[in-house]
Each structure stands twice: as C-alpha cells, then as structure tokens.
Amino acid sequence: MQEREIERIGSSTTIPIDTRIISATNIPLRQLVQDGKFRSDLYFRLNVIKIRIPPLRERRSDIPLLIDHLLKQLNLRLNLQIPGITEETVERLMEYSWPGNVRELQNVLERAMNLAWFEPLEWKYFSDYFSHLDDPTALLAKPDAAWEPKKLSTLRQRKGAAEREMLVEALEIFHGNKTAVARELGISRTILYQKLHKYDLI
C-alpha cells in the first residue's frame, strides 16, 4: 500500500499499481488502535479521508425515499406487485430508531410485503414485528428537526481537515511522541513539524 507495488505469490517481479482502497467499519478503529487490537500502521495508511455515514435515526428524512426505492427493488426480486405504502405507516416507521439501519428497514419491508401479498402496506403488516421487540418504547424517538443543506467545503479544505485529524489522532495514540508519529505516518520529522505548525498543533 505504501509503495504502490505488489508481488504475486511465488514471484520476485514487482508490479506497480495505481489504486484506491475504500474500507468500511462499524467499530471505532481509533479506539482499537489505542487498545492494541488493530495495527496502527495499517490504520494510518487507510485513514486518508474519513467519511462518516450517519445512522438512519439521524437522517429520518431519508426513510420515505429509501422505502420507495426498496419497494421497487423487492417487488422485482420477490416477483410481487405491492402497489405502495400508506402515509400513516411511513410516518410511524419514521418514529423508530432503526438500530439495524437500512438493512433492518429492508428486512422489515420484505417481511411486510410477504404478509400483504398484493395489497398496499398498512401498519397491521408491521405491528407484529415491533410488538415483539424487547422494549419497543425505548427504541422510539421524536423525528429530527427539518433537514437543512450544509454549505460544502472545498476539496483542499476537506483534505486539510482530514490531515489535521489524522495528526491529532496519531499524537494521542503515541502520547505526543513525534518520532513515533513520523515513523507511523511515513514522513520525516522535518515534514511532521511543518505540518504541526501549519495546523497550529504545537
């Protein structure tokens, strides 16, 4: 990854590559690195730009759009012709916190579609699922406030923010040991100090 080169197993020929690695996790890798359960060198090579995808409970306004998309997708896959879903049902589904995120929403919809067969999806096809939760009332929350678009930052600003965050994390993990930070990030101490000055970290 660091040198952008690979070697096939059993070969001594080096092959240059030009690739990007996209990885995902639902576990905070930063904490795992601090606990010694995830390699710090791999973490810093992967953590170039961090993209946080909010859980479904933080973007409830997406739920109606996701339902429409999933209904079309599931109708095709299940060979069904569910004509739609009632407005009341959508509103009640938006009150749920969805700890399983989009996958749980898809499974709940698929379950209801198999019960409804060819009828519009009403709450009666969902109520049984929610009544069997350990504590259904604990999973309900008020819908979020109306969503407002945020002003987009430039690519340079985002790269700078990601680089600064990586430096902050590295300093925390190595308790301010700049030699260790420079080694793990694959840069010289001189460049490290330049970046620390640039982002007002020293």
Side-chain angles (χ1 to χ4, degrees):
M1 290 174 60
Q2 184 71 29
E3 304 301 330
R4 299 179 181 272
E5 296 176 343
I6 62 171
E7 287 185 7
R8 291 193 178 98
I9 296 176
S11 172
S12 59
T13 303
T14 300
I15 303 172
I17 58 172
D18 181 13
T19 185
R20 298 291 183 273
I21 295 178
I22 301 175
S23 58
T25 178
N26 62 351
I27 302 173
L29 292 183
R30 178 179 172 183
Q31 184 61 48
L32 292 182
V33 171
Q34 292 175 334
D35 295 342
K37 297 179 180 178
F38 192 88
R39 287 179 50 176
S40 60
D41 60 336
L42 178 58
Y43 172 73
F44 289 120
R45 282 166 173 78
L46 289 173
N47 189 31
V48 177
I49 297 178
K50 183 186 296 182
I51 301 174
R52 179 180 178 270
I53 301 178
L56 200 52
R57 65 179 177 273
E58 294 181 14
R59 48 190 177 101
R60 298 177 195 276
S61 59
D62 287 351
I63 291 177
L65 298 173
L66 285 168
I67 289 174
D68 287 343
H69 170 72
L70 291 170
L71 281 178
K72 294 175 184 176
Q73 196 176 64
L74 290 168
N75 265 329
L76 185 63
R77 179 160 65 84
L78 301 175
N79 196 26
L80 293 174
Q81 296 179 3
I82 300 297
I85 185 170
T86 66
E87 185 176 342
E88 176 200 358
T89 303
V90 172
E91 291 176 354
R92 297 185 74 166
L93 292 176
M94 290 177 69
E95 294 175 354
Y96 180 55
S97 63
W98 298 105
N101 290 302
V102 178
R103 183 169 296 179
E104 183 184 10
L105 174 61
Q106 178 175 331
N107 290 342
V108 170
L109 284 172
E110 184 172 348
R111 180 180 182 277
M113 290 173 71
N114 279 290
L115 293 173
W117 204 239
F118 294 105
E119 299 176 11
L121 296 182
E122 300 178 7
W123 181 247
K124 64 181 179 180
Y125 298 118
F126 296 87
S127 58
D128 186 59
Y129 173 82
F130 293 102
S131 67
H132 282 80
L133 296 174
D134 292 336
D135 186 5
T137 58
L139 297 173
L140 295 175
K142 294 180 180 179
D144 295 339
W147 177 81
E148 294 181 359
K150 296 181 179 179
K151 184 178 180 181
L152 293 176
S153 56
T154 65
L155 179 60
R156 178 172 294 182
Q157 289 172 331
R158 292 192 179 193
K159 289 175 68 176
E163 187 174 59
R164 187 183 193 281
E165 183 180 359
M166 184 181 295
L167 290 168
V168 170
E169 291 180 358
L171 289 168
E172 287 184 10
I173 290 171
F174 293 102
H175 307 290
N177 186 325
K178 296 178 180 58
T179 300
V181 170
R183 182 175 59 249
E184 288 298 325
L185 295 180
I187 58 178
S188 67
R189 281 175 58 89
T190 301
I191 293 177
L192 173 63
Y193 274 97
Q194 290 175 353
K195 292 183 180 296
L196 292 177
H197 280 293
K198 176 182 177 181
Y199 297 116
D200 296 323
L201 294 177
I202 57 174

